Amino acid sequence: MRSGKLKTALDIAQQFFSSYRSHDLDGMLECFSANGRIDYLPIGLEGPAREDGRQIWEGLIEAFPNLTNQVTATYQDGDGRTLVFEVTISGTQARDAFGIRNKGRHFDLPHVFIIRTGDDQRISWMKAYWDNSAWFLALGRTSLLDDADS
């Protein structure tokens, strides 16, 4: 990793969120083991972080140029390898994406991330939860059936 070998699960998770805030996609992906996986349950996205993670994060960064996150709470298990983060992700839409027409609207959306690190001191899996309907509504999409919203 560019910042040197991270020693704890907390270190690597903090590096991930810092890289995310900086829109450093390569830095985000460096936090994952070679076989690291993501599971973004609200949208049914599950797969390798280096492929599926890259795709979702690139799309978010392109559609929301001021995309940012703020970690509001952190919880750690007894062995120090599994963490739960409460994170508020926010941004203002600048282009059509994810079936949502650009209306220049802003969102602030609470998320929960569960992160597990492996023996290689990198993220082996990450699960994320949020209210996708609230995200759509904040951005002005009122129908989940089509993109005919005005």
Side-chain angles (χ1 to χ4, degrees):
M1 304 190 112
R2 283 182 257 163
S3 59
K5 188 174 182 180
L6 296 173
K7 306 259 186 226
T8 69
L10 183 58
D11 290 336
I12 197 143
Q14 289 173 333
Q15 179 65 38
F16 171 81
F17 289 113
S18 175
S19 294
Y20 199 169
R21 277 190 298 279
S22 299
H23 298 182
D24 177 3
L25 188 58
D26 289 334
M28 293 167 69
L29 294 170
E30 284 179 14
C31 294
F32 284 85
S33 63
N35 297 319
R37 298 187 60 81
I38 63 166
D39 188 356
Y40 275 29
L41 282 89
I43 58 172
L45 176 66
E46 181 179 5
R50 295 183 191 271
E51 296 167 20
D52 294 325
R54 175 180 292 279
Q55 182 181 4
I56 189 79
W57 298 320
E58 271 181 340
L60 285 166
I61 290 166
E62 289 173 5
F64 302 90
N66 66 342
L67 186 71
T68 192
N69 68 74
Q70 178 183 7
V71 175
T72 57
T74 305
Y75 310 93
Q76 194 165 355
D77 74 347
D79 73 3
R81 293 178 52 186
T82 303
L83 299 111
V84 177
F85 289 86
E86 294 177 23
V87 180
T88 300
I89 297 181
S90 61
T92 303
Q93 191 171 5
R95 62 185 270 190
D96 294 353
F98 307 104
I100 305 169
R101 288 188 186 161
N102 177 24
K103 298 178 184 176
R105 296 186 59 177
H106 182 83
F107 77 94
D108 292 291
L109 192 64
H111 287 60
V112 173
F113 288 84
I114 303 170
I115 296 172
R116 175 80 177 165
T117 58
D119 293 335
D120 62 356
Q121 297 179 319
R122 295 178 190 247
I123 299 170
S124 58
W125 56 259
M126 170 186 287
K127 296 181 187 275
Y129 303 84
W130 66 91
D131 183 344
N132 212 41
S133 295
W135 187 56
F136 275 29
L137 285 172
L139 296 173
R141 181 165 181 183
T142 58
S143 171
L144 297 178
L145 301 177
D146 61 39
D147 64 357
D149 299 325
S150 57

